[in-house]
Amino acid sequence: MGISRDSRHKHYKTGGRSNVSIKKRKYEMGRPATLCKMGAKRVRTVRCRGGNKKYRALRLDTGNYAWGSENVTKKVRILDVVYNASSNELVRTKTLLKNTIIQIDAQPFKQWYLKKFGTDLSKKGKKGEKKVEEKEEEEKKSRHVIFKQKARASKQKLDPVLEEQFQSGRLLACIASRPGQCGRCDGYILEGEELVFYKRKLEKKKKA
């Protein structure tokens, strides 16, 4: 018995059953779910109706993640699956699905931030940090670049919760693409109220 997406087998609202006079049709066909796991990239092509193609990701370990407030996207490593609203089983098996909350490597974004604002996000102390930066800048950068970075940094305000994550080297992100359909695991970094919401969820999960 194949997987069918028809509604002929369903009961009426009143509970009655309908007479089924036709067989299953090819256009009602469904396929078994292929849950994408973490690992070295493995994608399979599926031929669909009309000669179209779907890309089934069986294993993925990288993706393009956007930092919305800074308008920048980087290709980063996926480190861990931490939360899924559907089931904790999907977290335990490290399954990558749309809207799953994951941890990604913060390094590419740190490098970008350092280049644009001249601030190293991995360091905590602010006073000592500036001195170290100034020494580096004197060696490598022109005065024009240094002033440009300082002007940008003066207008820049980073969310303290996000800054804390940068220091740990892991950022919370949400998957926005569908790995089983397009073969990619892209998404965005959690910020603002959304980040606070999921942080609270994770803390509650730890206590339980």
Side-chain angles (χ1 to χ4, degrees):
M1 288 268 304
I3 297 168
S4 184
R5 292 162 50 247
D6 68 312
S7 57
R8 288 186 302 279
H9 66 282
K10 294 198 170 185
H11 288 243
Y12 299 131
K13 276 185 182 176
T14 50
R17 296 187 67 175
S18 60
N19 265 339
V20 180
S21 55
I22 65 167
K23 291 182 177 180
K24 292 182 178 181
R25 297 288 188 253
K26 179 86 161 79
Y27 57 76
E28 291 164 348
M29 184 186 79
R31 295 186 186 87
T34 314
L35 300 173
C36 179
K37 301 287 167 70
M38 281 173 61
K41 187 180 177 180
R42 193 189 299 167
V43 180
R44 298 285 176 266
T45 309
V46 179
R47 197 261 186 197
C48 305
R49 187 172 162 85
N52 295 309
K53 285 179 182 174
K54 280 185 181 180
Y55 299 96
R56 281 267 188 281
L58 307 178
R59 301 268 186 284
L60 285 174
D61 57 356
T62 56
N64 297 324
Y65 284 83
W67 186 358
S69 61
E70 296 299 330
N71 203 20
V72 63
T73 303
K74 295 284 174 192
K75 186 179 180 180
V76 292
R77 277 189 311 126
I78 297 165
L79 303 175
D80 198 10
V81 176
V82 290
Y83 183 77
N84 192 307
S86 317
S87 167
N88 283 333
E89 186 70 9
L90 297 169
V91 178
R92 191 183 64 78
T93 53
K94 299 195 188 305
T95 306
L96 302 171
L97 302 166
K98 185 176 174 170
N99 221 46
T100 299
I101 305 303
I102 58 170
Q103 280 184 338
I104 57 171
D105 183 23
Q107 196 57 34
F109 291 105
K110 275 186 199 172
Q111 287 168 345
W112 172 84
Y113 201 90
L114 181 64
K115 196 174 180 184
K116 187 167 184 181
F117 298 104
T119 310
D120 191 352
L121 291 173
S122 56
K123 291 169 187 171
K124 281 185 183 179
K126 288 183 180 176
K127 288 177 185 174
E129 178 188 297
K130 282 180 184 174
K131 286 176 187 174
V132 172
E133 280 167 23
E134 277 166 18
K135 283 178 186 174
E136 285 176 10
E137 283 165 354
E138 280 166 18
E139 290 167 10
K140 296 175 187 175
K141 295 164 189 167
S142 66
R143 246 170 99 250
H144 172 70
V145 171
I146 292 165
F147 279 110
K148 193 190 268 185
Q149 284 180 339
K150 279 183 181 174
R152 282 179 190 153
S154 64
K155 294 170 192 171
Q156 177 66 7
K157 196 180 180 186
L158 193 64
D159 184 359
V161 187
L162 203 59
E163 198 169 351
E164 197 181 296
Q165 285 188 322
F166 270 111
Q167 282 155 14
S168 69
R170 286 170 171 239
L171 298 173
L172 284 178
C174 181
I175 299 173
S177 67
R178 299 170 69 194
Q181 307 291 317
C182 63
R184 298 164 67 111
C185 193
D186 301 340
Y188 59 93
I189 293 171
L190 295 179
E191 297 180 85
E193 286 178 21
E194 197 177 6
L195 176 57
V196 173
F197 173 81
Y198 283 112
K199 276 265 213 187
R200 206 180 296 131
K201 286 273 184 194
L202 291 169
E203 279 162 23
K204 200 183 281 182
K205 201 173 146 192
K206 276 181 187 174
K207 286 175 187 174

